Amino acid sequence: MQEDKINKTEDEWKKELTPEEYNIMRQKGTEAPFSGEYWNNHEKGMYVCRACGQELFSSDTKFDSGTGWPSFTDPINREKVELKSDESHGMLRVEVLCKRCGAHLGHVFDDGPKISGKRYCINSLSLGFCKENGLS
Ligand code: FE
């Protein structure tokens, strides 16, 4: 188990997150495609978990998937995320969660570009972004 794991009650999360963020990150919702802040973001920098701030994805692994959600070939480190099989909505998918705080991030699919073959399809509402020069 990760030493700095965050365990908050649902009431605590409800107070900290906006209703939209709570719906995605704690109730495993999905934002509408092309609606989020980052699907079309091409700036260089680091994407972090919006709930706990852990660094998750580098802009170096971001690619245009055409889906309307920010898409990455890999997390910065596989230890940063937890993968869980998800049979909801009549589909067999692999859910991606922040390993530190348990926030739902999105799903990972096997149709990514050659580098890893993976497509981490992540909700903008689960992410924050820090520009490479330190300004956000
Ligand atoms: Fe987190």
Side-chain angles (χ1 to χ4, degrees):
M1 193 162 123
Q2 213 167 316
E3 279 171 30
D4 64 344
K5 247 191 174 175
I6 291 174
N7 282 304
K8 288 185 182 167
T9 66
E10 289 308 306
D11 276 353
E12 288 175 305
W13 283 123
K14 246 182 210 166
K15 277 181 205 150
E16 279 185 29
L17 305 173
T18 68
E20 293 77 19
E21 292 167 352
Y22 185 83
N23 173 253
I24 307 290
M25 289 190 276
R26 305 304 310 177
Q27 300 187 301
K28 308 185 189 303
T30 301
E31 71 197 12
F34 305 101
S35 73
E37 225 173 308
Y38 301 126
W39 68 272
N40 202 23
N41 181 24
H42 292 95
E43 303 220 59
K44 279 203 163 295
M46 184 65 67
Y47 292 87
V48 302
C49 172
R50 194 180 288 206
C52 76
Q54 171 173 242
E55 296 187 344
L56 294 171
F57 298 97
S58 160
S59 59
D60 293 343
T61 65
K62 193 173 188 289
F63 67 100
D64 282 319
S65 63
T67 59
W69 290 285
S71 301
F72 306 88
T73 55
D74 266 312
I76 56 166
N77 181 328
R78 295 281 169 94
E79 294 300 305
K80 303 278 186 186
V81 297
E82 187 174 350
L83 304 182
K84 261 190 191 170
S85 95
D86 171 12
E87 293 178 34
S88 67
H89 304 288
M91 294 176 270
L92 183 56
R93 294 179 295 173
V94 178
E95 182 190 3
V96 185
L97 302 112
C98 171
K99 197 160 187 178
R100 184 159 177 244
C101 74
H104 171 80
L105 303 173
H107 291 87
V108 58
F109 302 93
D110 286 324
D111 57 9
K114 270 183 268 180
I115 320 148
S116 74
K118 301 287 183 192
R119 170 171 59 95
Y120 285 78
C121 185
I122 306 299
N123 291 284
S124 293
L125 276 168
S126 299
L127 298 173
F129 182 66
C130 303
K131 272 196 209 177
E132 201 165 70
N133 61 13
L135 306 168
S136 61

